[in-house]
Amino acid sequence: QNSVSALKGHDSNAPVDVEADRIEVQDRADRAIFSGNVNVRQTDLTMNSARLTVAYAGGASGTQIKRLDASGGVTVRSPSETARGSVAIYDLDRRLITMLGNVTLNQGQNTVNGNRLVIDLNSGRSTIDGQGVAGGQGGRVTGRFTVRQSSGN
Amino acid sequence: MSKAADLARGDRQSWAAPGAGHDRVIAALRILLPCAIGALVAILAVAPLTMGRDISFVLAKDRVEVARERLRVADAIYRGEDSKGQPFAIRAGSAVQKSSRDPVVKLANLSAEIQLADGPATIGAKTGRYDMDSEKVYIDGPVRFDGPDQYRLDTRDVEVDLKTRQVESGGAVDGQMRLGNFSANRMTADLAARTVVLDGRARLHIVQRGGR
């Protein structure tokens, strides 16, 4: 079973669609604040949360999103996995999705829990560790893996 | 009187003699004239009531050439001041005010200029109405806001309060700003602070350009 995420090589430059109950765009601060069941979609990556802040660079050539900060119960979905946590930071420049706060990651039938999850969109690797947000001593990482029945019996 | 005396008088003298023609005429007139006066007074008193055909006329509004509006101006400019005392001007291809009681001026090809802290901003639209009392411009149809630092907001059917420089959409609205195009049930924007607030099923489609 391929453990590399389908998000490998995900195009962070693709258009982003956001829906929310309320959007406040602050042009001076190059920031947009979304609140109320926020749903973000970029090609096959979707993110749902209660609140979202988008920081973008509005150069003359056009808009470029720098970072998405989602909070208030975040669910990140991709074709190959679903990750839940209380906070998620999608850094489009470094192409990293970092989730914090009792994170669970479901890949296929495997479930892994921890404090911090980092999905690297370049390599497609997801790493979970127990590292607390404030870098405290390691928390526990638990996981439940299902082993495929050997096809013999 | 003797025959000779009669012959000696001329015709006129004999007409004027007592009891002759003149006195008979006067006697008749003494009766006829008062009767004629009485009859005339009676007629005058009764005449307006009995007069059938009304001879007065009414100026028919539709038949006379009536100007449809009170004020029609081509290339109109309306200048005013906003809450901070900064001037604003509204130019219009044509401005029509229906009547003096109606403070609303219907504008076509209008462009308003307002002063913002960091530069002038213009508001352009095909059709709109300007309420002189509330100093608000009601835009019907598409409108474009251009502000400093390439700030651009395209939307439609909004109400622009030139005094507070706030924009409000009456109902569902869609449009475009540099961040992307948006749609929502309601929009309010503050041109000075350059913030846009979208309420109710708000959607934003962000197309990213420029290499990372």
Side-chain angles (χ1 to χ4, degrees):
Chain A
Q1 194 241 0
N2 174 352
S3 77
V4 174
S5 152
L7 289 178
K8 181 173 186 346
H10 171 77
D11 171 16
S12 286
N13 274 330
V16 172
D17 277 289
V18 192
E19 286 159 14
D21 291 349
R22 185 178 189 278
I23 300 180
E24 177 168 352
V25 178
Q26 297 163 355
D27 191 70
R28 281 182 195 279
D30 280 347
R31 182 176 56 182
I33 300 166
F34 303 77
S35 49
N37 38 60
V38 183
N39 178 334
V40 187
R41 269 192 323 283
Q42 185 179 45
T43 56
D44 48 14
L45 164 69
T46 67
M47 194 154 65
N48 294 61
S49 66
R51 289 175 304 280
L52 172 75
T53 304
V54 169
Y56 59 91
S61 63
T63 308
Q64 216 183 54
I65 299 181
K66 292 291 175 206
R67 221 170 97 126
L68 300 179
D69 294 282
S71 57
V74 186
T75 309
V76 173
R77 277 191 189 77
S78 82
S80 60
E81 75 251 301
T82 302
R84 284 187 182 74
S86 56
V87 171
I89 297 149
Y90 175 14
D91 185 331
L92 283 85
D93 281 344
R94 299 196 346 253
R95 295 157 61 75
L96 286 177
I97 297 180
T98 314
M99 293 189 76
L100 301 163
N102 48 56
V103 178
T104 62
L105 172 67
N106 304 63
Q107 254 175 354
Q109 287 83 18
N110 309 334
T111 308
V112 185
N113 304 318
N115 253 335
R116 191 166 69 131
L117 157 71
V118 176
I119 303 177
D120 184 337
L121 299 181
N122 304 309
S123 64
R125 247 172 358 92
S126 314
T127 55
I128 275 205
D129 59 40
Q131 243 248 322
V133 168
Q137 40 77 21
R140 301 292 294 166
V141 178
T142 61
R144 187 165 49 78
F145 301 92
T146 55
V147 179
R148 220 158 5 102
Q149 297 309 323
S150 64
S151 53
N153 62 14
Chain B
M1 295 200 1
S2 66
K3 189 179 270 304
D6 284 346
L7 287 180
R9 280 188 185 160
D11 289 343
R12 285 185 56 251
Q13 284 165 337
S14 61
W15 180 73
H22 181 66
D23 288 350
R24 278 199 306 283
V25 164
I26 292 301
L29 284 184
R30 273 185 60 236
I31 297 159
L32 280 184
L33 277 186
C35 298
I37 290 170
L40 182 62
V41 167
I43 288 172
L44 284 185
V46 170
L49 311 178
T50 60
M51 192 59 71
R53 195 172 48 73
D54 189 343
I55 51 173
S56 70
F57 71 97
V58 172
L59 175 63
K61 244 193 166 169
D62 42 19
R63 279 209 297 276
V64 175
E65 181 58 55
V66 175
R68 275 194 325 289
E69 63 285 328
R70 175 176 180 284
L71 165 82
R72 169 180 283 279
V73 178
D75 278 347
I77 295 185
Y78 181 85
R79 293 189 195 285
E81 267 181 15
D82 60 20
S83 52
K84 289 199 174 58
Q86 286 156 315
F88 69 79
I90 302 178
R91 278 178 184 68
S94 86
V96 173
Q97 184 184 10
K98 268 166 57 58
S99 72
S100 62
R101 281 182 310 283
D102 179 357
V104 176
V105 183
K106 247 214 270 294
L107 305 171
N109 304 331
L110 64 108
S111 89
E113 268 134 39
I114 51 179
Q115 284 302 325
L116 296 181
D118 41 15
T122 61
I123 305 164
K126 270 270 169 290
T127 55
R129 287 161 288 131
Y130 178 59
D131 182 333
M132 284 195 263
D133 291 351
S134 65
E135 294 211 323
K136 284 189 176 161
V137 180
Y138 299 86
I139 307 277
D140 316 318
V143 61
R144 163 163 291 185
F145 299 96
D146 278 324
D149 305 345
Q150 296 120 15
Y151 178 70
R152 162 161 292 180
L153 175 62
D154 286 334
T155 180
R156 57 182 174 73
D157 302 337
V158 290
E159 169 193 322
V160 183
D161 184 336
L162 291 171
K163 274 220 172 300
T164 60
R165 295 180 303 239
Q166 300 272 350
V167 178
E168 233 177 275
S169 83
V173 72
D174 58 74
Q176 180 150 26
M177 49 180 129
R178 248 164 358 108
L179 181 52
N181 31 35
F182 60 88
S183 72
N185 288 353
R186 215 175 77 77
M187 176 199 86
T188 59
D190 182 330
L191 296 178
R194 300 219 300 264
T195 61
V196 174
V197 175
L198 303 165
D199 280 304
R201 287 217 336 275
R203 282 190 180 70
L204 189 60
H205 174 70
I206 304 170
V207 175
Q208 297 188 76
R209 275 187 299 279
R212 203 165 285 278

